Amino acid sequence: MCTRCELLVVSSAASSASRPSAWQPRRAFLLAAAGAALAGPALAQVNVGNASVARNLVPADRIEAAGVQQYGQLLEQARAKRALAGDGNAQLQRLRTIANRLIPFATPWNSRAREWKWEVNLIGSKQVNAFCMPGGKIAFFTGILEQLKLSDDEVAMVMGHEMAHALREHARARMAKSAGTGAALSIGAQLLGLGQMGDLAARAGTQLLTLKFSRSDETEADLVGLELAARAGYDPQASVSLWKKMAAASKNQGGLSFLSTHPSGPDRIQKLEANLPKVEGLYREARRS
């Protein structure tokens, strides 16, 4: 019997008071499986498993609010220094065009993304860096575009990677794990309005800019970003050329801002190369359409 049919049988059994309770364990198993499937799109080509359950210790809406607040503060600082690119800036327009192609493929990875007010900005700085805050707030620094001379495909890989961190809620999970269960629950209580919300949001936002993700988070972001970019019609091979550029620039310049929170290495490139065949078909289909 197919899963769909079994679900129908279980539903029918649950609605009838005369049915025996022997179905309950089976029903619970099926509902749990259905819930787990919501952690990632059913038609995903890359395999990254379910999102971390630790993230549930910190309310999503509050961590997103903290991200929006920190993002706004950063933009104000850049504007005060006349470092924030205007809407007519060619590089900013380029970034927003790429984002507009990626964003439609974000929602299957996180249903909350449907409500996010996505935003892309460019900040004039020699820093080789980029990020996406929880809530869909994206920023690139001119240094990463100019020093690495990124192609559109490579920009899409960086952007997809950063979007993936937000979509998979790595910052939310990382804060919970770093604080420990007891402290995380305390943070959650404060975020829900039982403590100093303003102070906590400011501290959470500051952490979001400097947060170092685990190796598994980085791998996950690489693969989800790879698929996002491929579905948007960007060449998956660019993921490999991007990280080769990162590695070369790190050796030549003694370290990059981006690599302080996104460590590079041969294993990273190898994992990307191993997953290229999984998304090549998505890329070709996107190019045809």
Side-chain angles (χ1 to χ4, degrees):
M1 183 182 293
C2 69
T3 302
R4 181 180 178 186
C5 296
E6 289 181 327
L7 283 170
L8 291 173
V9 171
V10 171
S11 176
S12 175
S15 65
S16 174
S18 62
R19 301 293 288 177
S21 60
W23 274 103
Q24 294 307 311
R26 179 68 170 169
R27 180 172 182 267
F29 171 79
L30 290 169
L31 290 176
L38 297 177
L43 298 179
Q45 301 302 300
V46 297
N47 181 17
V48 293
N50 296 330
S52 172
V53 296
R55 71 193 194 284
N56 295 323
L57 293 173
V58 179
D61 58 342
R62 300 308 183 186
I63 196 75
E64 289 167 10
V68 170
Q69 180 187 50
Q70 184 67 15
Y71 186 77
Q73 291 173 354
L74 183 66
L75 295 188
E76 283 301 317
Q77 293 170 6
R79 189 177 289 110
K81 297 177 181 178
R82 297 184 178 181
L84 186 65
D87 291 339
N89 181 283
Q91 288 282 47
L92 176 58
Q93 291 177 353
R94 176 192 181 204
L95 290 174
R96 288 178 174 173
T97 296
I98 293 170
N100 286 338
R101 287 173 57 176
L102 293 174
I103 290 170
F105 301 100
T107 302
W109 289 99
N110 188 327
S111 60
R112 294 184 63 84
R114 185 180 292 107
E115 308 301 325
W116 291 354
K117 292 180 173 60
W118 291 90
E119 190 172 345
V120 183
N121 281 287
L122 176 64
I123 297 172
S125 170
K126 292 182 179 179
Q127 286 189 54
V128 177
N129 212 350
F131 62 82
C132 178
M133 288 281 197
K137 304 302 184 182
I138 300 170
F140 271 65
F141 293 86
T142 53
I144 196 169
L145 301 175
E146 296 170 356
Q147 294 186 46
L148 299 187
K149 303 186 187 309
L150 299 181
S151 66
D152 284 359
D153 295 303
E154 290 166 340
V155 170
M157 295 303 154
V158 174
M159 192 177 292
H161 175 100
E162 296 305 316
M163 288 171 60
H165 277 309
L167 292 169
R168 298 292 281 180
E169 300 184 285
H170 290 158
R172 183 182 170 201
R174 197 68 183 159
M175 287 182 66
K177 291 176 182 177
S178 297
T181 302
L185 289 172
S186 175
I187 287 175
Q190 292 183 60
L191 286 171
L192 286 169
L194 303 179
Q196 297 297 320
M197 173 60 191
D199 178 61
L200 180 70
R203 286 189 286 114
T206 301
Q207 289 182 40
L208 293 174
L209 279 176
T210 58
L211 199 60
K212 291 186 178 181
F213 297 116
S214 68
R215 183 173 297 181
S216 61
D217 287 343
E218 287 297 324
T219 298
E220 193 172 290
D222 280 348
L223 299 185
V224 173
L226 177 69
E227 180 160 326
L228 286 173
R231 287 185 182 277
Y234 291 102
D235 188 355
Q237 295 287 343
S239 63
V240 175
S241 63
L242 166 68
W243 285 102
K244 286 182 177 178
K245 283 185 177 182
M246 287 284 187
S250 179
K251 291 179 181 178
N252 294 336
Q253 300 177 24
L256 304 176
S257 301
F258 191 79
L259 295 183
S260 67
T261 52
H262 299 75
S264 183
D267 58 327
R268 187 167 209 153
I269 293 176
Q270 290 172 3
K271 288 176 182 176
L272 284 165
E273 288 176 331
N275 279 272
L276 292 181
K278 297 180 181 180
V279 298
E280 282 287 353
L282 299 176
Y283 167 61
R284 290 194 298 270
E285 179 62 28
R287 296 297 295 175
R288 282 195 296 267
S289 60

